[in-house]
Coordinates of all heavy atoms in Angstrom, one line a residue:
L72 N 4.6 -4.9 -13.3 CA 6.0 -4.5 -13.1 C 6.8 -5.7 -12.7 O 6.7 -6.2 -11.5 CB 6.2 -3.4 -12.1 CG 5.6 -2.1 -12.5 CD1 5.7 -1.1 -11.3 CD2 6.3 -1.5 -13.7
S73 N 7.6 -6.3 -13.6 CA 8.4 -7.5 -13.2 C 9.7 -7.1 -12.5 O 10.3 -6.0 -12.9 CB 8.8 -8.2 -14.5 OG 9.6 -9.3 -14.3
G74 N 10.1 -7.8 -11.5 CA 11.3 -7.5 -10.8 C 11.1 -6.5 -9.6 O 12.2 -6.0 -9.2
N75 N 9.9 -6.1 -9.2 CA 9.7 -5.2 -8.2 C 9.6 -5.8 -6.8 O 8.6 -6.4 -6.6 CB 8.5 -4.3 -8.5 CG 8.3 -3.2 -7.5 OD1 9.1 -3.0 -6.7 ND2 7.2 -2.5 -7.7
H76 N 10.7 -5.7 -6.0 CA 10.8 -6.3 -4.7 C 10.5 -5.2 -3.6 O 10.8 -5.5 -2.4 CB 12.2 -6.9 -4.5 CG 12.4 -8.0 -5.5 ND1 11.9 -9.3 -5.3 CD2 13.0 -8.0 -6.7 CE1 12.3 -10.0 -6.4 NE2 13.0 -9.2 -7.2
C77 N 10.0 -4.1 -3.9 CA 9.8 -2.9 -3.0 C 8.9 -3.4 -1.8 O 7.9 -4.1 -2.1 CB 9.2 -1.8 -3.7 SG 8.9 -0.4 -2.6
Y78 N 9.2 -3.0 -0.6 CA 8.4 -3.3 0.5 C 6.9 -2.7 0.4 O 6.0 -3.4 0.7 CB 9.0 -2.7 1.8 CG 8.2 -2.8 3.0 CD1 7.9 -4.1 3.6 CD2 7.5 -1.8 3.5 CE1 7.1 -4.2 4.7 CE2 6.7 -1.9 4.7 CZ 6.5 -3.1 5.2 OH 5.6 -3.2 6.3
G79 N 6.8 -1.5 -0.2 CA 5.5 -0.9 -0.3 C 4.7 -1.4 -1.5 O 3.5 -1.6 -1.3
C80 N 5.3 -1.5 -2.6 CA 4.6 -1.7 -3.8 C 4.9 -3.0 -4.6 O 4.3 -3.3 -5.6 CB 4.6 -0.5 -4.8 SG 6.3 -0.1 -5.3
G81 N 6.0 -3.7 -4.2 CA 6.5 -4.8 -5.0 C 5.6 -6.0 -4.8 O 5.3 -6.5 -3.7
T82 N 5.2 -6.6 -5.9 CA 4.5 -7.9 -5.9 C 5.4 -9.1 -5.5 O 4.9 -10.1 -5.1 CB 3.8 -8.2 -7.2 OG1 4.8 -8.2 -8.2 CG2 2.7 -7.1 -7.5
E83 N 6.7 -8.8 -5.7 CA 7.7 -9.9 -5.5 C 8.3 -9.8 -4.0 O 9.4 -10.4 -3.8 CB 8.7 -9.9 -6.5 CG 8.1 -10.1 -7.9 CD 9.0 -10.0 -9.1 OE1 10.2 -10.5 -8.9 OE2 8.6 -9.6 -10.1
N84 N 7.7 -9.1 -3.1 CA 8.1 -9.1 -1.7 C 7.0 -9.7 -0.9 O 5.9 -9.1 -0.6 CB 8.4 -7.7 -1.3 CG 9.0 -7.6 0.1 OD1 8.7 -8.4 1.0 ND2 9.7 -6.6 0.3
A85 N 7.3 -10.9 -0.4 CA 6.2 -11.7 0.4 C 5.8 -10.9 1.6 O 4.7 -11.2 2.1 CB 6.8 -13.0 0.7
H86 N 6.6 -10.1 2.2 CA 6.3 -9.5 3.4 C 5.9 -8.0 3.3 O 5.7 -7.3 4.2 CB 7.5 -9.5 4.4 CG 8.0 -10.9 4.7 ND1 7.2 -11.7 5.5 CD2 9.0 -11.6 4.2 CE1 7.8 -12.9 5.6 NE2 8.9 -12.9 4.7
G87 N 5.7 -7.6 2.0 CA 5.4 -6.2 1.7 C 4.0 -5.8 1.9 O 3.1 -6.6 2.3
L88 N 3.7 -4.5 1.7 CA 2.4 -4.0 1.8 C 1.5 -4.3 0.6 O 0.3 -4.2 0.8 CB 2.5 -2.4 2.0 CG 3.3 -1.9 3.3 CD1 3.4 -0.4 3.3 CD2 2.5 -2.5 4.5
H89 N 2.1 -4.5 -0.5 CA 1.3 -4.8 -1.8 C 0.3 -3.8 -2.1 O -0.9 -4.2 -2.4 CB 0.8 -6.2 -1.7 CG 1.8 -7.3 -1.4 ND1 1.6 -8.2 -0.5 CD2 3.0 -7.5 -2.0 CE1 2.7 -9.0 -0.5 NE2 3.5 -8.6 -1.4
I90 N 0.6 -2.5 -2.1 CA -0.4 -1.5 -2.5 C -0.6 -1.7 -4.0 O 0.1 -2.3 -4.7 CB 0.1 -0.1 -2.3 CG1 1.3 0.3 -3.2 CG2 0.4 0.1 -0.8 CD1 1.4 1.8 -3.3
K91 N -1.8 -1.3 -4.4 CA -2.3 -1.4 -5.8 C -2.8 -0.1 -6.3 O -3.7 0.5 -5.7 CB -3.4 -2.5 -5.9 CG -3.1 -3.8 -5.3 CD -2.2 -4.5 -6.3 CE -2.0 -6.0 -5.9 NZ -1.1 -6.7 -6.8
S92 N -2.3 0.4 -7.3 CA -2.6 1.6 -8.0 C -3.2 1.4 -9.4 O -2.8 0.5 -10.1 CB -1.4 2.5 -8.2 OG -0.6 2.6 -6.9
Y93 N -4.2 2.3 -9.7 CA -4.8 2.2 -11.0 C -5.2 3.5 -11.5 O -5.4 4.4 -10.8 CB -6.0 1.2 -10.9 CG -7.1 1.6 -10.0 CD1 -8.2 2.4 -10.5 CD2 -7.0 1.4 -8.6 CE1 -9.2 2.8 -9.6 CE2 -8.1 1.8 -7.8 CZ -9.1 2.5 -8.3 OH -10.1 2.9 -7.4
W94 N -5.5 3.6 -12.8 CA -6.0 4.9 -13.4 C -7.5 5.0 -13.1 O -8.3 4.1 -13.4 CB -5.8 4.9 -14.9 CG -4.4 5.0 -15.3 CD1 -3.7 4.2 -16.2 CD2 -3.5 6.1 -15.0 NE1 -2.5 4.6 -16.4 CE2 -2.3 5.8 -15.6 CE3 -3.6 7.3 -14.2 CZ2 -1.1 6.6 -15.5 CZ3 -2.4 8.0 -14.1 CH2 -1.2 7.7 -14.7
A95 N -7.9 6.1 -12.5 CA -9.4 6.4 -12.2 C -9.9 7.4 -13.2 O -11.1 7.4 -13.4 CB -9.5 6.9 -10.8
A96 N -9.0 8.1 -13.8 CA -9.3 9.1 -14.8 C -8.0 9.5 -15.5 O -6.9 8.9 -15.1 CB -9.9 10.4 -14.1
E97 N -8.1 10.3 -16.5 CA -6.9 10.7 -17.3 C -5.9 11.4 -16.3 O -6.3 12.3 -15.6 CB -7.2 11.6 -18.4 CG -6.0 11.9 -19.2 CD -6.3 12.8 -20.5 OE1 -7.5 12.7 -20.9 OE2 -5.4 13.4 -21.0
N98 N -4.8 10.8 -16.1 CA -3.7 11.3 -15.2 C -4.2 11.5 -13.8 O -3.7 12.4 -13.0 CB -3.1 12.7 -15.7 CG -1.8 13.1 -15.0 OD1 -1.1 12.2 -14.5 ND2 -1.6 14.4 -14.9
K99 N -5.0 10.5 -13.3 CA -5.4 10.5 -11.9 C -5.3 9.0 -11.5 O -6.2 8.2 -11.9 CB -6.7 11.1 -11.7 CG -7.2 11.1 -10.2 CD -8.6 11.6 -10.0 CE -9.0 11.4 -8.5 NZ -10.4 11.8 -8.4
A100 N -4.3 8.7 -10.8 CA -4.1 7.4 -10.2 C -4.6 7.3 -8.8 O -4.4 8.2 -8.0 CB -2.7 6.9 -10.3
V101 N -5.3 6.2 -8.5 CA -5.9 6.0 -7.2 C -5.3 4.7 -6.5 O -5.1 3.7 -7.3 CB -7.4 5.9 -7.3 CG1 -8.0 5.5 -6.0 CG2 -8.0 7.3 -7.7
C102 N -5.2 4.7 -5.2 CA -4.8 3.5 -4.4 C -5.6 3.5 -3.2 O -5.8 4.5 -2.5 CB -3.3 3.6 -4.1 SG -2.8 2.4 -2.9
H103 N -6.2 2.4 -2.9 CA -7.0 2.2 -1.6 C -6.1 1.3 -0.8 O -5.6 0.3 -1.2 CB -8.3 1.5 -1.9 CG -9.2 2.3 -2.8 ND1 -10.3 3.0 -2.2 CD2 -9.3 2.4 -4.1 CE1 -10.8 3.6 -3.2 NE2 -10.3 3.3 -4.4
F104 N -5.9 1.7 0.5 CA -5.1 1.0 1.5 C -5.9 0.9 2.8 O -6.3 1.9 3.3 CB -3.7 1.6 1.7 CG -2.9 1.0 2.6 CD1 -2.2 -0.1 2.3 CD2 -2.7 1.5 3.9 CE1 -1.3 -0.8 3.2 CE2 -1.9 0.8 4.9 CZ -1.2 -0.3 4.4
T105 N -6.0 -0.3 3.3 CA -6.6 -0.5 4.6 C -5.5 -0.9 5.6 O -4.9 -2.0 5.5 CB -7.6 -1.7 4.5 OG1 -8.6 -1.3 3.5 CG2 -8.3 -1.9 5.9
P106 N -5.3 -0.1 6.6 CA -4.2 -0.4 7.6 C -4.6 -1.6 8.4 O -5.8 -1.9 8.6 CB -4.2 0.9 8.5 CG -4.9 2.0 7.7 CD -5.9 1.3 6.7
Q107 N -3.6 -2.2 8.9 CA -3.7 -3.4 9.8 C -3.4 -2.9 11.1 O -2.7 -1.8 11.3 CB -2.7 -4.4 9.4 CG -2.8 -5.0 8.0 CD -4.2 -5.7 7.8 OE1 -4.6 -6.5 8.6 NE2 -4.9 -5.2 6.8
P108 N -3.9 -3.5 12.2 CA -3.7 -3.1 13.5 C -2.3 -2.9 13.9 O -2.0 -2.0 14.8 CB -4.3 -4.2 14.4 CG -5.3 -4.9 13.5 CD -4.7 -4.7 12.1
F109 N -1.3 -3.5 13.4 CA 0.1 -3.4 13.7 C 0.7 -2.2 13.0 O 1.9 -1.9 13.2 CB 0.9 -4.7 13.5 CG 0.7 -5.3 12.1 CD1 1.5 -4.9 11.1 CD2 -0.3 -6.3 11.9 CE1 1.3 -5.5 9.8 CE2 -0.5 -6.8 10.7 CZ 0.3 -6.4 9.6
H110 N 0.0 -1.5 12.1 CA 0.6 -0.3 11.4 C 0.4 1.0 12.3 O 0.4 2.1 11.8 CB -0.1 -0.1 10.1 CG 0.1 -1.2 9.1 ND1 -0.8 -1.6 8.2 CD2 1.2 -1.9 8.9 CE1 -0.3 -2.5 7.4 NE2 0.9 -2.7 7.8
I111 N 0.2 0.8 13.6 CA -0.1 1.9 14.5 C 1.1 2.8 14.7 O 2.3 2.5 14.6 CB -0.6 1.4 15.9 CG1 0.5 0.4 16.5 CG2 -1.9 0.7 15.7 CD1 0.1 -0.1 17.9
A112 N 0.8 4.1 15.2 CA 1.8 5.0 15.6 C 1.8 4.9 17.2 O 1.3 3.8 17.7 CB 1.2 6.4 15.3
A113 N 2.5 5.7 17.8 CA 2.5 5.7 19.3 C 1.2 5.6 19.9 O 0.9 4.8 20.8 CB 3.5 6.8 19.9
P114 N 0.3 6.5 19.5 CA -1.1 6.4 20.1 C -1.7 5.3 19.2 O -1.7 5.4 17.9 CB -1.7 7.8 19.8 CG -0.8 8.6 19.0 CD 0.5 7.8 18.9
T115 N -2.2 4.3 19.7 CA -2.7 3.1 19.0 C -3.8 3.3 18.1 O -4.2 2.4 17.3 CB -3.0 2.0 20.0 OG1 -4.0 2.4 20.9 CG2 -1.7 1.5 20.8
H116 N -4.5 4.5 18.1 CA -5.6 4.7 17.3 C -5.3 5.4 16.0 O -6.1 5.7 15.2 CB -6.8 5.4 18.0 CG -6.3 6.7 18.7 ND1 -5.6 6.8 19.9 CD2 -6.6 8.0 18.4 CE1 -5.3 7.9 20.2 NE2 -5.9 8.8 19.3
F117 N -3.9 5.7 15.8 CA -3.5 6.4 14.6 C -2.6 5.6 13.8 O -1.8 4.8 14.3 CB -2.8 7.8 14.9 CG -3.7 8.8 15.5 CD1 -3.4 9.5 16.6 CD2 -4.9 9.2 14.8 CE1 -4.3 10.4 17.2 CE2 -5.7 10.1 15.4 CZ -5.5 10.7 16.6
L118 N -2.6 5.8 12.4 CA -1.7 5.2 11.5 C -0.3 5.8 11.6 O -0.1 7.0 11.7 CB -2.2 5.3 10.1 CG -1.4 4.7 8.9 CD1 -1.3 3.2 9.0 CD2 -2.2 5.1 7.6

């Protein structure tokens, strides 16, 4: 996707999350995401 500056999925956002999605089966897209320690909620052990 050219021109995608989205914080979550844009490859053209240097500070974004850069999620990656792909086809795993017909009409089933998968994305793996590994949280970083600073992605915490109020309790520090949750996303």
Side-chain angles (χ1 to χ4, degrees):
L72 296 172
S73 179
N75 185 2
H76 300 276
C77 178
Y78 173 72
C80 60
T82 59
E83 298 178 34
N84 184 330
H86 302 286
L88 298 174
H89 302 130
I90 70 160
K91 301 288 186 182
S92 307
Y93 62 93
W94 292 122
E97 185 176 336
N98 192 25
K99 180 182 176 184
V101 171
C102 171
H103 297 263
F104 179 78
T105 303
Q107 299 299 308
F109 52 87
H110 293 147
I111 57 175
T115 59
H116 53 287
F117 291 129
L118 180 58

